[in-house]
Amino acid sequence: MNKISVILFVFSSFCFGQQNQEIEKPIRNLFLGMKNADPELVKNAFAENAIMQTIIKDGTVKSDNVQDFIATVSKFKQDDLEERIVIESIHTDGNLASVFTPYAFYLKGKFSHCGANSFQLIKQNNEWKIQYIIDTRRKDQCREIKGI
């Protein structure tokens, strides 16, 4: 590889890494806000008309209200809610990003359930926000996740 190719490779890797950090920021802030019982940090992670859904055991999709979820976070103490994630993939096209994160959820320090989150993020006003999240939930076949 010649010097120009190496420079271009390093520069493109740096730019891609920076973009991923920007995309991950609202996701990490969502879980940090939950852990710190900070509803404002949770609220700021979401786009204005965001949608939250869960796939329950029989395949039915249950919708949750984002505002109700934010209000629920404020009812807990710091460290009561902890969702540990692993970001497995990030795909982007312009102002759209898709992020897949297996997780393990702990309530008041005790394992509650695990599953996977699928996030759809949009970039508005030069900032990434969560527009849509759908997750699965189960108590078996869970892998250990160290933290976010």
Side-chain angles (χ1 to χ4, degrees):
M1 217 185 266
N2 64 35
K3 288 181 182 180
I4 293 177
S5 295
V6 170
I7 290 169
L8 289 174
F9 175 76
V10 170
F11 180 73
S12 66
S13 296
F14 174 77
C15 291
F16 185 71
Q18 285 290 105
Q19 180 184 12
N20 282 354
Q21 286 179 345
E22 291 174 21
I23 293 167
E24 291 176 19
K25 184 178 177 181
I27 295 169
R28 297 204 182 274
N29 283 345
L30 166 63
F31 298 124
L32 182 61
M34 289 169 55
K35 185 173 175 61
N36 291 338
D38 182 347
E40 196 60 32
L41 190 57
V42 172
K43 178 183 175 186
N44 288 332
F46 287 100
E48 187 176 329
N49 297 311
I51 298 167
M52 292 180 75
Q53 295 184 315
T54 297
I55 303 168
I56 48 183
K57 284 186 180 184
D58 67 359
T60 304
V61 176
K62 176 183 163 263
S63 295
D64 293 307
N65 182 288
V66 174
Q67 296 307 319
D68 290 347
F69 172 73
I70 293 167
T72 299
V73 167
S74 67
K75 296 177 183 175
F76 285 90
K77 295 178 191 166
Q78 186 170 347
D79 295 322
D80 278 357
L81 305 173
E82 182 180 10
E83 187 157 332
R84 300 175 186 171
I85 65 169
V86 174
I87 295 180
E88 283 195 346
S89 65
I90 298 176
H91 300 276
T92 61
D93 185 41
N95 293 328
L96 172 68
S98 179
V99 180
F100 190 82
T101 67
Y103 73 88
F105 184 79
Y106 294 80
L107 178 61
K108 297 183 179 181
K110 294 185 180 180
F111 174 78
S112 173
H113 60 276
C114 69
N117 301 307
S118 176
F119 292 93
Q120 301 300 307
L121 294 96
I122 56 172
K123 191 171 189 179
Q124 296 177 318
N125 300 319
N126 229 11
E127 189 174 25
W128 289 98
K129 297 282 186 174
I130 300 166
Q131 174 61 41
Y132 179 64
I133 178 176
I134 190 165
D135 65 45
T136 60
R137 297 179 190 177
R138 63 181 182 280
K139 292 188 180 275
D140 58 353
Q141 297 179 337
C142 298
R143 72 185 211 199
E144 184 178 346
I145 298 175
K146 296 290 183 190
I148 61 173

